[in-house]
Amino acid sequence: FRQQVALFDQAEVIVAPHGAGATNMVFATDGTFVELIHSGNVRGAHYFQLAQECGHEYISILCESVGTDMKADIKKLIDQTVSEKGAL
């Protein structure tokens, strides 16, 4: 657990799938850029609210749903992150 907290505390950018693990953003410092990947129409406003309360920048990316998995275009994901965040 301590290693997980330390990892998020040091993060400048967090890219994660929509889900319970995204709540680890609470261990990140103010101003961390959080990008959650969603499939289908699942978008939890609670993650946006949590990010705001923690002082993070937040965007969500909608990806294709393939069964129970998500299919993401990595180039598009990076381009959108750079577009939102600026040069990383």
Side-chain angles (χ1 to χ4, degrees):
F1 178 74
R2 289 182 184 152
Q3 184 181 19
Q4 188 173 331
V5 171
L7 181 65
F8 279 86
D9 180 54
Q10 296 172 17
E12 293 179 28
V13 176
I14 298 169
V15 179
H18 179 273
T23 60
N24 287 312
M25 74 173 83
V26 300
F27 302 121
T29 58
D30 289 356
T32 299
F33 188 78
V34 178
E35 180 173 357
L36 293 188
I37 304 168
H38 304 266
S39 63
N41 291 322
V42 177
R43 289 187 185 216
H46 49 285
Y47 290 111
F48 171 74
Q49 291 170 341
L50 181 60
Q52 282 195 320
E53 289 295 322
C54 292
H56 304 321
E57 297 178 55
Y58 175 90
I59 64 168
S60 63
I61 304 288
L62 186 59
C63 295
E64 180 183 349
S65 181
V66 181
T68 58
D69 295 324
M70 291 184 282
K71 181 178 177 182
D73 180 335
I74 299 301
K75 182 175 180 343
K76 181 179 174 183
L77 184 72
I78 292 169
D79 289 347
Q80 186 165 356
T81 302
V82 171
S83 172
E84 293 284 337
K85 173 85 172 119
L88 294 176

